[in-house]
Amino acid sequence: MSGSVPRIVIVGGGFSGLATAKALKNAPAEVVLIDRANHHVFQPLLYQVATAVLAVGQIGSPIRNILRKQQNTTVILGEVTGVDKEKKCVFVKDDDRTGVPIPYDFLVLATGVTHSYFGHNEFERFAPGLKSLADAVAVRNKILHAFEQAEAEEDPSRHRDLLTFVLVGAGPTGVEMAGAIAVLVRNTLKSEFRRINPEKARIILLDMAPRVLGTFSEDLSQAAKARLESLGVEVRLGHGADQIDADGVIVAGERISSKTVIWTAGVAPSPAGKWLNVATDRAGRVRVQQDVSVPGFPEVFVVGDTASLDQDGKPLPGVAQVAIQQGHYAGNLIDRVISGKTRPGPFRYFNKGNMAVVGKGFAVLESGKVHLSGFLAWLAWAAVHLQFLAQSSSRVSVFLQWVWTYLTGQRGSRLIVNHHGNEPTRQDPKEAQLELANTSK
């Protein structure tokens, strides 16, 4: 691209970052999208990878492929480590370089969120979260390995601990994960083991809140809880996890023995607020103006889960629809400024509703005054999620897999895949001594 055209740098290839880039497809500018992964992840379906319904490639799409038709857009694989607002550049590191400055005329930070353990970072070692494809594969390994370990265990008294699954956090991710694990153990795995009965697995959903799906209406929350309990999930509310270790969880002074604990509770924003050195909310999200720009720096925009913006006196939720709409708005605004057109009015989020699936063929849906639960809500949930997958091939693949799983109970990917770098090499002591002796000769 010629240096005479403005450069727009987008940091992050999630929902908001991609929406920004797509809105700039015809802009007379050089668009540079930077992400530390080469793929976009459809995060609402991560739990389906974690519970072996879908494979990694069905919800992950290469960013280059998504944006391949945009001739004004360059994709860079790297991690942004800082921003200099005065010099108008971001600093990027990759495998062999660090602190590489990339100048910008306009900057859009769409850096998303990560897990938050509410000050108990020691929990992370024993309770993995679910924010990336790597997280989903790790959780899938952990769940499937629990059944394999129980099948091989000679002591039946240990089966209960191995087959107890604890999920901490009863928001949409926790509810969907709990329901999916329940269906996995009772429909898919029940006939595949000989020494254990997968149907006897315990699934416990914890939250200190008084009800599940706290952002939904009370009637839908109750419907979701009743559905979970009908699937055999133990729902424990009013108390959080006081301690998580290798042996399980302590809740309100009670020890729940478990080898598989999954964190589905809080999230924390990226360090964009620290990079910019601007005002943030209590959670650390950047306080933006009504046009999603940073106060005092009209060329810097923060969108998606990293941004904090109030509408009608309430903060906007950290959901995909907010991120997509903010990204599209930011891209459209920048395009208009560059083209010398009238700036759009203040950003206004249009709430299309909330959805959550609870096991096979059941979901809850809330859109305005419409409250729906059951199979029809599940069909609506499926249609909406298929629509927002990044690629047509993914929509076809996921649709066929869902139909197959619904009809047969068979999962798409039940492979335990451990990366070699994480697997210690086990060698017979005698072989090790012989190798050492030969080496010393």
Side-chain angles (χ1 to χ4, degrees):
M1 297 291 293
S2 169
S4 62
V5 299
R7 172 182 284 175
I8 306 160
V9 172
I10 303 169
V11 182
F15 287 117
S16 53
L18 273 186
T20 304
K22 289 179 179 179
L24 290 164
K25 63 181 179 181
N26 297 318
E30 177 188 6
V31 180
V32 179
L33 191 151
I34 307 170
D35 198 295
R36 58 187 177 186
N38 78 329
H39 53 268
H40 166 75
V41 181
F42 191 76
Q43 288 194 344
L45 293 180
L46 273 175
Y47 81 94
Q48 293 209 357
V49 174
T51 53
V53 177
L54 299 176
V56 167
Q58 291 176 294
I59 69 165
S61 304
I63 297 173
R64 293 184 186 278
N65 188 49
I66 297 172
L67 300 176
R68 67 190 183 280
K69 295 183 179 179
Q70 294 191 203
Q71 295 301 313
N72 67 344
T73 303
T74 300
V75 178
I76 294 179
L77 180 64
E79 182 178 356
V80 171
T81 58
V83 177
D84 189 325
K85 304 191 302 296
E86 307 302 330
K87 295 183 178 180
K88 292 187 177 182
C89 68
V90 299
F91 299 101
V92 182
K93 73 172 183 178
D94 56 22
D95 290 340
D96 57 359
R97 297 179 299 172
T98 185
V100 178
I102 296 182
Y104 64 81
D105 295 294
F106 295 90
L107 174 64
V108 181
L109 294 177
T111 43
V113 293
T114 185
H115 318 295
S116 173
Y117 290 87
F118 305 114
H120 293 279
N121 292 335
E122 68 276 12
F123 291 174
E124 184 174 9
R125 177 183 173 189
F126 309 104
L130 198 62
K131 289 297 173 188
S132 68
L133 288 177
D135 293 338
V137 172
V139 170
R140 183 184 71 193
N141 288 349
K142 195 174 182 70
I143 293 171
L144 296 177
H145 190 262
F147 290 96
E148 298 293 346
Q149 191 175 353
E151 179 83 346
E153 176 57 53
E154 299 289 345
D155 183 0
S157 65
R158 294 198 62 215
H159 289 173
R160 183 175 177 84
D161 294 352
L162 290 170
L163 297 182
T164 296
F165 303 89
V166 180
L167 295 96
V168 184
T173 301
V175 167
E176 292 181 332
M177 272 289 292
I181 296 174
V183 174
L184 170 69
V185 301
R186 286 164 177 78
N187 290 7
T188 305
L189 301 182
K190 64 179 181 180
S191 62
E192 297 189 1
F193 292 85
R194 301 294 176 261
R195 303 177 66 186
I196 61 172
N197 180 4
E199 291 185 280
K200 292 186 177 180
R202 293 180 71 199
I203 304 160
I204 302 172
L205 181 64
L206 304 175
D207 202 305
M208 63 189 306
R211 58 190 180 94
V212 304
L213 298 178
T215 59
F216 286 70
S217 62
E218 188 165 352
D219 61 321
L220 293 180
S221 173
Q222 291 299 322
K225 181 174 182 290
R227 175 65 173 177
L228 287 171
E229 291 173 340
S230 72
L231 292 171
V233 177
E234 300 177 33
V235 181
R236 299 192 179 189
L237 303 172
H239 296 284
D242 299 324
Q243 181 178 331
I244 303 176
D245 53 35
D247 296 318
V249 183
I250 295 179
V251 182
E254 175 191 356
R255 161 73 68 176
I256 301 176
S257 297
S258 170
K259 297 299 182 182
T260 307
V261 182
I262 303 170
W263 188 264
T264 56
V267 295
S270 74
K274 295 179 180 178
W275 296 343
L276 297 171
N277 191 26
V278 294
T280 61
D281 65 8
R282 291 169 57 185
R285 298 178 300 173
V286 176
R287 294 290 301 177
V288 296
Q289 302 186 106
Q290 293 302 309
D291 64 352
V292 301
S293 68
V294 174
F297 296 88
E299 74 282 359
V300 179
F301 301 83
V302 182
V303 293
D305 293 338
T306 309
S308 174
L309 179 64
D310 293 344
Q311 181 171 300
D312 300 330
K314 296 181 180 179
L316 293 176
V319 296
Q321 275 301 316
V322 172
I324 292 170
Q325 292 180 34
Q326 285 185 341
H328 180 80
Y329 174 89
N332 181 53
L333 186 153
I334 295 171
D335 187 8
R336 283 178 167 271
V337 170
I338 292 173
S339 303
K341 299 178 182 177
T342 305
R343 296 170 66 98
F347 172 76
R348 184 80 186 172
Y349 169 57
F350 175 66
N351 187 356
K352 298 180 180 180
N354 295 324
M355 295 180 175
V357 66
V358 193
K360 179 180 178 180
F362 188 99
V364 292
L365 181 157
E366 181 176 1
S367 180
K369 295 182 179 180
V370 177
H371 293 185
L372 190 63
S373 63
F375 185 72
L376 288 178
W378 181 77
L379 288 177
W381 170 90
V384 169
H385 282 66
L386 287 173
Q387 176 188 355
F388 283 102
L389 284 168
Q391 296 178 291
S392 298
S393 58
S394 298
R395 298 184 194 108
V396 174
S397 174
V398 170
F399 172 74
L400 293 175
Q401 183 60 57
W402 281 349
V403 172
W404 178 254
T405 301
Y406 185 85
L407 295 176
T408 68
Q410 296 302 306
R411 302 272 161 153
S413 180
R414 285 192 288 118
L415 307 179
I416 299 175
V417 182
N418 290 311
H419 297 287
H420 293 296
N422 296 330
E423 293 179 316
T425 302
R426 297 181 180 179
Q427 188 176 31
D428 184 280
K430 294 181 179 179
E431 292 180 359
Q433 290 178 0
L434 181 59
E435 180 178 334
L436 181 61
N438 290 336
T439 302
S440 62
K441 288 181 180 179

